[in-house]
Amino acid sequence: MSDKFPNLTVLHHPVIEHKLARMRDVNTPHFQFQTLLEEISIFLFYEASAALETVPYPLDTPLEPLTGRRLKHEVLLVPILRAGIGISSGITKVWSEAVVGMIGMYRDHDTLQPVDYFLRLPANLGDMTTFLLDPMLATGGSAAAAAAKLKEKGARRLVLITLIAAPEGVAHLAEQHPDMKIYTAALDRQLNEKGYILPGLGDAGDRYFGV
Ligand code: PRP
Ligand code: URA
């Protein structure tokens, strides 16, 4: 956990550091960037899912009865389009039974305000644990608006998985959604005058899709 931001967990792991450095490198092509984001997302989900509740249930092994455990709440992944897709693609490799919703949102280049254009969510999301996914937490405007939309639709257990967070975005989200925990691979220095994270990795959507 971070001292300054009690809701924030920054994962310090040599494999994540190695992969994230390659993602930041301007010379890394989009097809490698995709693989790296998906791979790091598995580590992030491992950590972010550690607090999920389980319940007992009876089963039979080939040899004897046993009380097994299963997740109490179904997992819902909600990537923010576009770049959040990279995180859901990674997580579903290790949790294929996840339900995947989607929020389409982009930042207006001039105002930096989020503009939403798409929403697809399951009707029973209040019964689930919802992981909101977006690799970049910059001003925090997109994540905060997406979280508000999810809550409006009934989401209750809400967690954000991101790759790189700016202090400004973490502070904004903590203020707007103090109940929400944030898991990230890095807490970067600051935003520049155009709202890009420094040192960051540039535009995550462009770098993931190559356009
Ligand atoms: C990026 C990123 C976040 C948002 C973060 O998306 O994937 O959604 O910016 O910025 P914020 O914290 O200041 O809101 P972008 O707006 O570039 O959309 P795109 O992926 O569709 O290009
Ligand atoms: N969105 C991005 O994709 N990158 C940033 O640095 C900030 C917002």
Side-chain angles (χ1 to χ4, degrees):
M1 242 193 258
S2 152
D3 289 344
K4 190 161 171 219
F5 301 113
N7 289 1
L8 180 72
T9 300
V10 183
L11 266 70
H12 296 287
H13 190 290
V15 173
I16 293 179
E17 278 173 18
H18 178 104
K19 289 179 186 293
L20 183 57
R22 286 179 57 204
M23 292 184 73
R24 291 185 191 272
D25 189 334
V26 68
N27 294 312
T28 298
H30 76 277
F31 49 92
Q32 284 174 8
F33 188 95
Q34 285 176 4
T35 305
L36 290 162
L37 178 55
E38 290 166 16
E39 289 171 347
I40 292 182
S41 299
I42 294 170
F43 286 83
L44 289 166
F45 179 68
Y46 177 83
E47 189 68 23
S49 61
L52 294 181
E53 281 181 78
T54 59
V55 288
Y57 76 103
L59 60 90
D60 295 314
T61 77
L63 301 174
E64 62 180 28
L66 170 80
T67 300
R69 299 195 74 82
R70 64 176 166 225
L71 292 189
K72 186 170 177 187
H73 304 287
E74 240 184 313
V75 168
L76 170 64
L77 305 178
V78 183
I80 300 182
L81 304 179
R82 294 175 293 160
I85 288 283
I87 304 182
S88 57
S89 298
I91 294 174
T92 50
K93 291 199 169 93
V94 290
W95 194 257
S96 54
E97 62 217 79
V99 173
V100 183
M102 259 171 226
I103 293 188
M105 204 167 262
Y106 68 88
R107 279 197 322 182
D108 181 279
H109 279 292
D110 298 321
T111 64
L112 299 185
Q113 292 306 305
V115 180
D116 63 301
Y117 60 88
F118 185 79
L119 185 67
R120 189 69 87 238
L121 298 170
N124 61 332
L125 79 169
D127 302 331
M128 301 172 157
T129 302
T130 302
F131 291 90
L132 180 61
L133 314 174
D134 195 326
M136 308 308 276
L137 183 66
T139 65
S142 302
K149 182 73 78 181
L150 287 166
K151 286 180 179 174
E152 182 192 311
K153 298 289 177 189
R156 289 191 295 151
R157 290 163 287 277
L158 200 50
V159 177
L160 175 70
I161 296 181
T162 188
L163 181 74
I164 300 181
E168 294 90 331
V170 179
H172 181 66
L173 206 60
E175 187 195 309
Q176 300 280 311
H177 300 285
D179 54 307
M180 201 166 162
K181 289 208 176 345
I182 307 170
Y183 292 85
T184 190
L187 179 62
D188 273 12
R189 195 175 72 246
Q190 67 185 88
L191 298 180
N192 71 9
E193 68 287 352
K194 291 187 172 158
Y196 277 86
I197 300 176
L198 298 175
L201 51 69
D203 185 309
D206 286 3
R207 296 218 46 205
Y208 186 82
F209 289 105
V211 48

